[in-house]
Amino acid sequence: MDTEEIIRKCQAIHIREEDKVKITLEMNLGTKKEQMLAGCLVGKVLLTRAVNNEGLKAALQQVWRTVKAVKIESVGNNIFMFKFVDEADKKRLLKGGPWHFDRALIVLVEPRGIGEVAKQAFTHASFWVQIRKIPLACMDKEFLWELGGKIGAVEEVQTDEHGDCIGEYARIRVSVNIT
């Protein structure tokens, strides 16, 4: 049987509607989902070509220096799942970014829903922005929050131990739409 004949036979296959089997999962995914996804991040490397999976794993484990192990697995299309043993490691990495690999941004998100990869939104990335030459009267957390809001969604305004924003520059962490 040659290739053309196989293709012709495959095209002739049709499944009638009554022959389709429908599977319904009736178990409660709520608690299981929360436990499974609690220590996870999903990340997408914004490259047009395929990522070297082993290179990414080696580079991130070296750079991130997590207290406990992190499991890194490819889930296709330059998207990776990061499973953390320690929740503090996960939070530190989310706040410590942005991260990059091979000169490309890695967008990290906490999985939403039941974690369907296709439904994760890799549309925003967080950056620390420095604002310089701020008048003394404007070195105020509320003012800087409003100023940062002109760039993106403000996540944090860095202050000293007294809650002040006085210095050579202000640091504001903003989430920016990268699409």
Side-chain angles (χ1 to χ4, degrees):
M1 197 180 303
D2 66 348
T3 307
E4 290 179 22
E5 187 177 347
I6 293 172
I7 292 171
R8 199 172 49 256
K9 286 186 178 196
C10 287
Q11 288 174 337
I13 297 173
H14 294 286
I15 300 174
R16 295 179 304 180
E17 198 62 38
E18 60 269 12
D19 292 337
K20 291 181 182 177
V21 176
K22 296 181 181 178
I23 299 172
T24 305
L25 297 176
E26 295 186 17
M27 62 183 250
N28 182 0
L29 287 177
T31 308
K32 269 193 159 188
K33 171 188 77 162
E34 289 171 9
Q35 291 171 350
M36 170 63 182
L37 299 179
C40 290
L41 290 176
V42 180
K44 181 170 187 169
V45 182
L46 300 181
L47 271 175
T48 53
R49 59 182 164 72
V51 170
N52 176 332
N53 295 348
E54 295 307 313
L56 176 83
K57 289 177 186 181
L60 290 182
Q61 289 186 347
Q62 183 179 9
V63 172
W64 283 353
R65 296 186 182 141
T66 56
V67 175
K68 296 191 178 171
V70 58
K71 183 177 180 183
I72 303 173
E73 292 296 332
S74 173
V75 291
N77 297 326
N78 291 347
I79 300 173
F80 295 82
M81 183 187 90
F82 304 94
K83 179 74 174 162
F84 295 88
V85 173
D86 186 10
E87 183 72 17
D89 281 335
K90 175 183 146 184
K91 289 182 183 202
R92 182 180 58 82
L93 293 175
L94 268 177
K95 285 190 88 163
W99 301 100
H100 61 89
F101 174 74
D102 199 12
R103 293 192 214 162
L105 181 65
I106 303 172
V107 180
L108 295 173
V109 297
E110 293 187 278
R112 295 189 178 157
I114 59 170
E116 292 175 85
V117 175
K119 292 187 178 181
Q120 302 308 307
F122 300 103
T123 58
H124 289 76
S126 296
F127 298 91
W128 281 105
V129 178
Q130 290 184 357
I131 310 287
R132 296 181 175 271
K133 297 183 180 181
I134 302 170
L136 292 173
C138 297
M139 290 184 179
D140 173 72
K141 187 173 182 175
E142 288 77 27
F143 174 81
L144 293 172
W145 197 277
E146 186 175 331
L147 182 62
K150 304 295 181 193
I151 301 168
V154 176
E155 296 174 346
E156 183 179 348
V157 173
Q158 189 177 46
T159 61
D160 62 15
E161 61 274 359
H162 304 292
D164 295 326
C165 304
I166 298 171
E168 186 178 338
Y169 56 87
R171 288 186 75 215
I172 305 170
R173 186 162 176 84
V174 292
S175 175
V176 180
N177 187 333
I178 56 170
T179 57

